[in-house]
Amino acid sequence: MAGSGVPEAEVPYVTSVVGLMELLRHSRDERALRSAALLRRSHPAGRELQLAGLLPDVGELLRPGDGARHAVLAAEAVRPLLGERVARPVRLHPPSAAAGNASGPLGEPRGPLACTP
């Protein structure tokens, strides 16, 4: 998608809620559930933000091994179905520790969806 760092031909769009639920069902990572739960407590009226907390790892499910680009890929994949209000915070999710860039210079979590493991 233009400006996202992911060529449009590489984005496998999620086109239905059923398809999205199937992807989430295959996720083995509990960080997304913890992020969504924390967001539910801190932003009870922010349904889009809570949903965004579940989605950054969708990029890893769609394109395993893509490392630091998984959040950008996830955002681009869900944007047509869920809109920019969900895609924007998904895109801002920090890379995983496996990608080597999950914390700031003082070791604090980065990004609006960062949570401690």
Side-chain angles (χ1 to χ4, degrees):
M1 192 125 258
S4 70
V6 179
E8 192 155 340
E10 287 186 30
V11 178
Y13 293 109
V14 178
T15 58
S16 71
V17 172
V18 172
L20 179 59
M21 295 306 291
E22 276 296 308
L23 278 173
L24 292 174
R25 189 171 70 87
H26 293 291
S27 176
R28 295 187 183 131
D29 192 350
E30 293 183 15
R31 288 178 302 157
L33 292 174
R34 287 194 305 258
S35 292
L38 289 169
L39 289 164
R40 182 175 181 211
R41 278 183 258 149
S42 63
H43 298 84
R47 301 285 183 195
E48 291 98 347
L49 189 58
Q50 295 166 29
L51 180 58
L54 291 171
L55 300 176
D57 293 329
V58 165
E60 179 64 28
L61 295 168
L62 291 170
R63 196 162 324 290
D66 211 0
R69 294 183 344 149
H70 81 275
V72 172
L73 180 62
E76 294 305 317
V78 301
R79 176 198 317 274
L81 180 65
L82 301 174
E84 183 61 24
R85 287 186 63 170
V86 173
R88 184 180 304 119
V90 171
R91 186 180 320 104
L92 297 174
H93 185 78
S96 69
N101 207 6
S103 61
L106 301 175
E108 75 280 4
R110 291 173 119 174
L113 301 179
C115 68
T116 56

